[in-house]
Amino acid sequence: KDEGKNKVVIPTQEEVYEVFKAISDKTILVTKAVSEKRIKPYFQPIMRNSTGEIDCCEVLSRIETPEGVLNAYEFIEIAEKINLISRLDIILLENAIIEVIKSNFKGLLFVNLSPRSLVMSEFIPEVMRITKEYNFDRSRLVFEITERETVKNLSLLEKFIANLRVEGFKFAIDDFGSGFCSFQYLRRFPVDFIKIEGEFVRNILNDRKDHILVKTLSIIAREFDIKTIAEYVESKELLDEMKNLGITYSQGYFIGKPSPNLP
Ligand code: C2E
Ligand code: CA
Ligand code: CA
């Protein structure tokens, strides 16, 4: 028990039980949602800075429960731990395509992939099956690969990206700048977009170093012929600054929150 400042806090048996119960309840919930294909796509608009046009959107996964909607950050990690993430990614892709076909949205669809999904042998055949079945133009799909999670086998990832690019799919590096190998990714992977980590974007108005980093990144990307997307654009001031710095696209609560409806 917490009696003094420097004492170790030993949880009671009931407290330990509560924590384990919460984890296992969520694990069961995620497992059920995946097996029943109840992974719901939410769409967040991405705006072209030069014209204000919404010609891209990102798909984010949600699970609806009687108590409310679960955000991805509340269950993606669990799905990864129990090895269900590649199933989840495929189900979400299919559900998202079904929604896009029913809508008037004609732009690019950005989809998050866990690096684990990409290297699963079933992944490429499944993606090919879905795009064929719904006759969905492959050049409208952009796979986001996060830089946050360290990938041990970069050459395997390189091969998978190359195989999918041949089929017409596009790629983006997500959370650029959050990991330790940003420039490795930039050098090795032929991508169409870089999504600049929201934590940098958020800070640029009051942190000189972050401002310089984003400004320089914008120049490098242009030289590489890669489009830039700023995440977490939460205010008009930030949006104006992104335009000043020549960032191609903006995404964030100021542009629009994730919603079940397409832009
Ligand atoms: P992410 O790809 O960086 O997605 C952005 C996250 O930030 C989303 O949370 C989104 O709701 C939130 N966000 C968007 N704009 C703003 C903003 O202006 N301010 C703030 N504070 N937050 C903003 P979400 O949906 O909970 O997703 C969390 C992470 O989970 C995602 O980060 C992505 O890495 C992962 N994820 C989401 N869906 C999937 C999926 O279907 N498959 C995989 N493998 N990962 C997914
Ligand atoms: Ca993303
Ligand atoms: Ca991101």
Side-chain angles (χ1 to χ4, degrees):
K1 276 281 164 198
D2 186 12
E3 280 156 357
K5 255 202 159 161
N6 298 318
K7 294 244 174 75
V8 177
V9 182
I10 301 167
T12 62
Q13 211 172 344
E14 289 76 32
E15 283 166 340
V16 172
Y17 173 77
E18 283 305 316
V19 171
F20 273 98
K21 190 171 177 312
I23 295 171
S24 73
D25 283 353
K26 210 174 235 181
T27 307
I28 293 168
L29 192 145
V30 174
T31 310
K32 274 192 77 179
V34 170
S35 71
E36 292 162 10
K37 300 196 173 180
R38 279 190 293 104
I39 305 297
K40 176 129 180 102
Y42 267 47
F43 303 92
Q44 187 176 28
I46 302 176
M47 191 185 85
R48 190 184 279 271
N49 287 337
S50 61
T51 60
E53 196 186 347
I54 307 284
D55 55 6
C56 300
C57 74
E58 176 174 359
V59 184
L60 294 158
S61 55
R62 298 288 181 265
I63 296 177
E64 287 172 341
T65 75
E67 286 77 43
V69 181
L70 284 182
N71 284 341
Y73 74 86
E74 297 173 272
F75 61 83
I76 289 294
E77 219 179 305
I78 293 179
E80 285 179 336
K81 288 219 168 79
I82 58 178
N83 250 326
L84 277 182
I85 192 69
S86 68
R87 286 290 310 140
L88 186 150
D89 282 345
I90 290 289
I91 292 166
L92 186 74
L93 176 69
E94 184 158 4
N95 290 347
I97 286 183
I98 292 172
E99 293 297 319
V100 172
I101 288 172
K102 285 194 291 193
S103 78
N104 290 321
F105 180 71
K106 298 279 176 274
L108 301 184
L109 198 61
F110 285 64
V111 181
N112 293 286
L113 287 187
S114 173
R116 272 172 244 217
S117 296
L118 257 186
V119 294
M120 293 291 268
S121 59
E122 80 224 37
F123 187 78
I124 294 183
E126 278 292 277
V127 170
M128 300 298 278
R129 172 190 68 80
I130 293 169
T131 45
K132 206 167 169 185
E133 193 171 316
Y134 296 93
N135 194 18
F136 194 79
D137 180 0
R138 287 177 189 151
S139 64
R140 286 179 65 196
L141 273 180
V142 186
F143 292 125
E144 297 190 10
I145 310 288
T146 181
E147 203 219 35
R148 199 175 290 279
E149 194 179 328
T150 345
V151 175
K152 288 186 202 87
N153 197 337
L154 281 185
S155 47
L156 194 59
L157 187 55
E158 208 170 11
K159 222 176 80 193
F160 272 81
I161 292 181
N163 288 345
L164 284 167
R165 280 181 71 93
V166 169
E167 301 293 342
F169 299 97
K170 293 187 169 74
F171 281 87
I173 305 176
D174 197 4
D175 311 313
F176 190 87
S178 67
F180 294 105
C181 46
S182 312
F183 286 95
Q184 282 287 355
Y185 273 53
L186 206 53
R187 284 174 59 222
R188 293 185 65 161
F189 303 144
V191 296
D192 307 273
F193 298 88
I194 295 174
K195 300 190 75 172
I196 306 168
E197 164 64 23
E199 294 304 323
F200 287 124
V201 173
R202 223 187 217 155
N203 269 338
I204 60 161
L205 293 178
N206 40 41
D207 187 310
R208 200 176 143 260
K209 284 185 179 168
D210 283 350
H211 190 271
I212 295 171
L213 282 174
V214 173
K215 185 165 124 186
T216 314
L217 190 56
S218 165
I219 298 168
I220 295 174
R222 206 168 318 128
E223 291 285 325
F224 274 58
D225 214 8
I226 295 174
K227 296 180 193 77
T228 39
I229 302 175
E231 300 184 317
Y232 288 18
V233 175
E234 292 175 347
S235 65
K236 181 170 184 310
E237 291 72 30
L238 273 178
L239 175 61
D240 289 342
E241 196 51 31
M242 291 307 141
K243 290 179 181 168
N244 281 338
L245 296 179
I247 301 292
T248 333
Y249 286 94
S250 293
Q251 177 180 8
Y253 292 168
F254 183 69
I255 316 297
K257 291 199 168 176
S259 119
N261 305 315
L262 275 141

